[in-house]
Amino acid sequence: MITEHTLPKSLCRRGQPLRVLVIGAGGNGSAMLLGLPYLHQAMKVWGHAGGIHVMLVDGDQVTETNCVRQPFASADVGLKKAVVLINRVNLFWGLRWQAHPEHFHEDSLRTNSAGPHLVIGCVDTRAARQAILSAVTRANESTVYWLDLGNNASSGQYVLGQPLNAANHRSAVRLRTVAELFPEIADTEAGEDTLPSCSAAEALERQEPFINQVLATSALAMLARLFRYGTLAHHGAFYNASTGRMSVLGVDPDLWKKIQKRTRKHSQARQRKQ
């Protein structure tokens, strides 16, 4: 049964900025980051005076291959992705967002500063997702939402969830995270997919252009509806570039049970084959 998700009252404070942590500055991460200033501006117009404050975490350096599908120029090669992107956004929009040029790990949220309300994971390995999962599900962690974006050669998905922690307790209508619906996505024992290519031509062969932008724009539109109207009837979607179809993931506890049941069956079948 499709229902509606309601924005928690803790995030309805109009004067304080919503703290957003973006993990990963690659294809999806850079597309999300460059779109977030528009959400910031819109939220201020809608009465959220603080807008959003963004922190970007990524320890990688810009390579020549990155300049093909990601918003980097040849002059950026060798520099830290997070620093390049945050400096660009801050200079253009007059913001004071923060770059953390380091790799995210499961203890990264254990700091004395206030933690993020929203974590946006734009990573491409199971190990990286497992690190995010471990970080946001600590008993004393207060992250309200975890938005995951991921893609392969010609398809991708984005899923907004509420990880079980101090901010989110067990409930039939709690938004399930991507790791709850599709556990294999964060299962390090399943092995990793082929690493990104060092060749620009091969990189384009492995992933069609514009998938990142489609996923990021759709995810941002979902967040905009949530923070403007305070409700959502869907919390993700699946995009197929070869067909142009977008399949919505509804806020539907019955559907979540079916997905989890199907996922368990696939996992058990895979284990038997091994």
Side-chain angles (χ1 to χ4, degrees):
M1 179 182 68
I2 296 179
T3 183
E4 276 195 340
H5 168 71
T6 302
L7 183 70
K9 292 182 179 179
S10 62
L11 297 188
C12 294
R13 291 169 292 185
R14 301 283 179 170
Q16 299 180 9
L18 181 83
R19 296 185 298 275
V20 179
L21 175 64
V22 180
I23 304 172
N28 288 323
S30 60
M32 284 295 296
L33 181 77
L34 296 180
L36 282 170
Y38 296 99
L39 179 61
H40 171 70
Q41 299 282 71
M43 288 179 65
K44 292 174 68 177
V45 171
W46 295 333
H48 298 266
I52 61 176
H53 177 75
V54 176
M55 298 156 283
L56 176 63
V57 175
D58 193 305
D60 288 344
Q61 295 180 340
V62 179
T63 66
E64 289 285 355
T65 306
N66 296 148
C67 300
V68 178
R69 289 188 298 98
Q70 299 173 20
F72 299 107
S74 56
D76 300 324
V77 173
L79 301 178
K80 292 289 188 178
K81 287 183 175 182
V83 174
V84 171
L85 292 176
I86 286 293
N87 284 344
R88 187 179 302 168
V89 167
N90 285 347
L91 285 171
F92 186 87
W93 293 96
L95 298 169
R96 294 185 177 180
W97 292 358
Q98 297 174 304
H100 296 274
E102 57 198 34
H103 294 296
F104 184 87
H105 53 82
E106 63 180 61
D107 293 323
S108 293
L109 299 183
R110 285 184 166 181
T111 63
N112 293 325
S113 59
H117 298 112
L118 167 63
V119 170
I120 303 178
C122 302
V123 297
D124 55 10
T125 66
R126 292 184 174 90
R129 280 193 174 90
Q130 178 58 51
I132 296 175
L133 174 62
S134 297
V136 299
T137 54
R138 292 186 187 281
N140 60 347
E141 177 55 39
S142 59
T143 297
V144 180
Y145 291 113
W146 169 22
L147 172 61
D148 176 85
L149 285 80
N151 66 278
N152 53 31
S154 60
S155 63
Q157 82 287 329
Y158 62 93
V159 178
L160 179 70
Q162 295 175 285
L164 285 169
N165 54 26
N168 304 304
H169 304 291
R170 293 188 182 278
S171 166
V173 295
R174 176 185 59 86
L175 297 182
R176 301 306 191 260
T177 66
V178 68
E180 290 176 287
L181 296 175
F182 310 101
E184 187 178 338
I185 207 167
D187 183 4
T188 56
E189 295 183 1
E192 298 291 355
D193 296 329
T194 306
L195 294 174
S197 172
C198 294
S199 161
E202 192 176 345
L204 285 175
E205 187 70 24
R206 291 184 179 180
Q207 181 182 322
E208 297 178 16
F210 307 114
I211 291 179
N212 304 126
Q213 287 79 4
V214 171
L215 293 175
T217 301
S218 301
L220 286 164
M222 177 187 66
L223 291 177
R225 291 195 62 83
L226 175 62
F227 293 118
R228 182 179 187 182
Y229 300 109
T231 59
L232 277 180
H234 75 287
H235 68 115
F238 304 87
Y239 173 66
N240 189 320
S242 61
T243 64
R245 293 179 179 175
M246 183 82 77
S247 301
V248 171
L249 178 62
V251 179
D252 186 345
D254 292 335
L255 175 61
W256 297 337
K257 291 178 181 178
K258 290 179 181 177
I259 292 175
Q260 290 174 309
K261 185 177 180 179
R262 189 185 314 132
T263 302
R264 283 194 295 269
K265 285 184 177 179
H266 289 169
S267 177
Q268 291 170 356
R270 189 181 68 253
Q271 291 175 356
R272 284 195 295 267
K273 290 181 180 179
Q274 294 174 349

